[in-house]
Amino acid sequence: MAHSVCPAERAWMLDNPFRSLLIRPSRLLKPHVRPKMTVLDVGCGPGFFTGVMARFVGPEGTVIAADLQPEMLDRTKEKMIRKGLIDRVILHKTASETLHLNESGFVDFAIGFHMVHEVPSPLALFAEVFDCLKPSGIFLVSEPKGHVKMEEFIQEMIEAQAAGFCIAREQHSLLEHQVLLKKP
């Protein structure tokens, strides 16, 4: 069951110093994102992870910041310009039912943070991300326990596996359901 999309007017909740202390984006992404990679930030919102990934991929890498809301992409763009990282970032407008990424096998790593529960069809999302990833590519999915109950997260993982993913690592904390999905 899809939840509502977090509106752009609440972007400040998604990109603030307190949230950075709780989530620690650098620590979360460092094991997965390296120089020269192409990475995908699915539902990037105001760019909470985009800037960290842009730093990690370096000047020869690319971050695709994908979001449904043009206002979120505008915020991400402004943030990347301020940080001097815009040359590494491709802003990509999605639709509610598709990512509109037409290439296959070009992404090394993808992240979907607190957004899978917002899409109409998690299975379709997982299938599209699976198609975009290179063999052995990783999709890090994290869902908030406050919005997504364990039964719903389990259903998402069933749909991820139906799309072809293997569960490489599952981790649950006080606030998060989190899993690393791997494309064989």
Side-chain angles (χ1 to χ4, degrees), residues 39-42 53 107-112 129 133 138-141:
V39 298
L40 173 61
D41 190 353
V42 183
M53 291 194 294
V107 172
D108 298 289
F109 172 82
I111 185 168
V129 173
L133 285 171
I138 298 289
F139 186 23
L140 189 155
V141 174

Side-chain angles (χ1 to χ4, degrees), residues 1-173:
M1 177 174 120
H3 300 255
S4 62
V5 173
C6 183
E9 299 82 43
R10 295 163 103 195
W12 61 271
M13 292 176 21
L14 303 175
D15 195 14
N16 66 65
F18 180 69
R19 190 170 188 232
S20 291
L21 290 173
L22 285 175
I23 296 169
R24 298 184 189 164
S26 292
R27 187 170 152 193
L28 181 66
L29 295 169
K30 189 171 182 139
H32 311 293
V33 181
R34 291 177 294 290
K36 300 182 183 179
M37 279 185 153
T38 296
V39 298
L40 173 61
D41 190 353
V42 183
C44 67
F48 185 73
F49 292 102
T50 307
V52 173
M53 291 194 294
R55 272 197 343 261
F56 287 174
V57 300
E60 295 178 44
T62 303
V63 178
I64 302 162
D67 204 278
L68 174 66
Q69 300 176 78
E71 302 87 358
M72 290 293 201
L73 292 171
D74 290 344
R75 288 175 182 260
T76 300
K77 181 179 181 179
E78 291 169 13
K79 183 177 180 180
M80 295 307 104
I81 289 170
R82 276 194 320 271
K83 292 180 177 258
L85 298 169
I86 193 65
D87 60 326
R88 303 171 192 188
V89 177
I90 296 170
L91 300 165
H92 179 76
K93 169 81 171 70
T94 67
S96 62
E97 56 290 326
T98 180
L99 295 175
H100 281 305
L101 293 169
N102 300 322
E103 287 185 63
S104 295
F106 72 104
V107 172
D108 298 289
F109 172 82
I111 185 168
F113 200 87
H114 293 191
M115 55 72 54
V116 173
H117 65 278
E118 295 179 350
V119 301
S121 172
L123 177 59
L125 172 72
F126 288 124
E128 279 192 88
V129 173
F130 185 89
D131 186 54
C132 291
L133 285 171
K134 294 176 180 177
S136 300
I138 298 289
F139 186 23
L140 189 155
V141 174
S142 187
E143 292 280 59
K145 283 189 174 178
H147 290 326
V148 179
K149 304 296 177 223
M150 181 56 94
E151 300 77 30
E152 188 176 357
F153 186 73
I154 290 169
Q155 183 59 41
E156 289 177 3
M157 292 306 98
I158 290 169
E159 293 180 17
Q161 291 171 312
F165 281 108
C166 299
I167 296 175
R169 188 181 80 218
E170 197 168 340
Q171 173 177 318
H172 300 276
S173 69

